Amino acid sequence: MKMDLTNASEILSYLRRFSSPENVAGMARFGISKTNTLGVSIPVIRDVARKIGTNHSLALELWETGIHEARLLAGFVDDPERVTNAQMEKWVKSFDSWDVCDQVCSSLFDETRLATKKVIEWSKKDAEFVKRAGFVLMAALAVHNKEADDKLFLSFLPIIKRGSSDDRNFVRKAVNWALRQIGKRNLKLNRAAVKTAKEIQRLDSKSAKWIASDALRELTGEAVLTRLKK
């Protein structure tokens, strides 16, 4: 099927060809909302994104459709240099699945000039997916921003400690993810992350204890330490 790669309607029609009720049911079992979901696999969506390239106006149109896969695609094709504060706030408030949250934050928002600001703002919010977005951004910055100074990630550790008592599944897993990724960046940050994890472990919170023990298992493990020492 030949399609106009600048036309949101045509792109959506193409994606519908790959829709699968079985996939939707499977996604629901992993906590992904079934609302407006086609059940199209990520490899298919990424293939379409590669064909489209970067297109900010198209990304905005795709997001407005409200379709799960179209929103994933929007995150893959948008131009981080053209993303505004208003857009980030609008999108984050409409996150209704962890995968849209994670893909948009780690494929788009982490490359914007506002990423660090949003880490601080969103990690303080009460809404589950907004708060998750703050910690996912931390993790994404730790992995993708090779030029960032250690001071940035050291400043994130008190935020992680503060968020570790949130017992909501999608939040605590993101807090854990951020702590582990910071601790795998280099030996200095590993030591700081381990120290923070031990502080978190002493908190009177089941969630905090899980976050700490899981992070310590990886960050003090032979595989991570051997890689960092090299």
Side-chain angles (χ1 to χ4, degrees), residues 114-126:
L114 296 168
T116 301
K117 180 174 181 281
K118 293 307 175 186
V119 163
I120 297 167
E121 290 178 0
W122 293 345
S123 62
K124 296 177 182 177
K125 299 295 185 180
D126 291 327

Side-chain angles (χ1 to χ4, degrees), residues 36 60 76 135 140 164 174 181 220:
N36 294 325
L60 297 179
F76 296 150
F135 291 102
S164 64
Q181 294 303 335
T220 62

Side-chain angles (χ1 to χ4, degrees), residues 3 7-17 38 62 65 67 69-70:
M3 61 176 166
N7 185 302
S9 295
E10 284 195 27
I11 292 168
L12 196 52
S13 294
Y14 177 79
L15 290 175
R16 290 185 190 279
R17 295 177 60 205
L38 304 177
L62 289 167
T65 68
I67 301 298
E69 287 78 2

Side-chain angles (χ1 to χ4, degrees), residues 52-165:
I52 292 171
T54 302
N55 191 322
H56 176 66
S57 59
L58 177 63
L60 297 179
E61 287 184 47
L62 289 167
W63 189 268
E64 288 303 315
T65 68
I67 301 298
H68 184 89
E69 287 78 2
R71 288 187 162 181
L72 289 170
L73 182 58
F76 296 150
V77 304
D78 205 348
D79 181 353
E81 293 186 4
R82 296 186 63 186
V83 172
T84 64
N85 182 77
Q87 178 187 340
M88 293 178 79
E89 288 299 320
K90 180 178 181 179
W91 284 25
V92 77
K93 288 171 185 172
S94 60
F95 287 165
D96 64 352
S97 285
W98 61 264
D99 63 329
V100 173
C101 174
D102 293 4
Q103 295 289 359
V104 171
C105 286
S106 62
S107 297
L108 176 65
F109 286 173
D110 65 318
E111 296 182 20
T112 69
R113 66 188 185 283
L114 296 168
T116 301
K117 180 174 181 281
K118 293 307 175 186
V119 163
I120 297 167
E121 290 178 0
W122 293 345
S123 62
K124 296 177 182 177
K125 299 295 185 180
D126 291 327
E128 186 170 12
F129 286 114
V130 177
K131 192 169 186 177
R132 179 182 175 91
F135 291 102
V136 172
L137 268 180
M138 280 189 205
L141 287 169
V143 174
H144 298 150
N145 193 336
K146 305 300 183 185
E147 306 303 319
D149 192 274
D150 286 351
K151 289 181 181 179
L152 175 66
F153 300 103
L154 291 172
S155 74
F156 289 164
L157 293 176
I159 300 174
I160 288 174
K161 182 177 178 180
R162 185 184 68 219
S164 64
S165 296

Side-chain angles (χ1 to χ4, degrees), residues 157-229:
L157 293 176
I159 300 174
I160 288 174
K161 182 177 178 180
R162 185 184 68 219
S164 64
S165 296
D166 194 313
D167 61 1
R168 291 174 295 181
N169 189 47
F170 292 126
V171 175
R172 71 187 182 106
K173 286 190 173 181
V175 174
N176 170 266
W177 186 11
L179 181 59
R180 289 186 295 107
Q181 294 303 335
I182 290 172
K184 291 189 289 185
R185 195 170 162 91
N186 59 47
L187 279 172
K188 178 182 177 180
L189 289 174
N190 178 270
R191 288 191 289 270
V194 167
K195 180 176 180 290
T196 299
K198 289 179 178 178
E199 293 172 0
I200 290 171
Q201 198 169 39
R202 293 193 289 271
L203 298 177
D204 184 19
S205 162
K206 184 177 179 180
S207 174
K209 293 183 187 304
W210 175 83
I211 288 168
S213 61
D214 186 75
L216 286 169
R217 188 180 306 113
E218 181 172 18
L219 297 180
T220 62
E222 184 178 351
V224 168
L225 293 177
T226 298
R227 179 179 64 79
L228 293 179
K229 287 174 182 176

Side-chain angles (χ1 to χ4, degrees), residues 3 11 14-15 44-53 73:
M3 61 176 166
I11 292 168
Y14 177 79
L15 290 175
V44 170
I45 299 170
R46 285 196 177 276
D47 181 61
V48 175
R50 281 190 292 271
K51 292 174 181 175
I52 292 171
L73 182 58

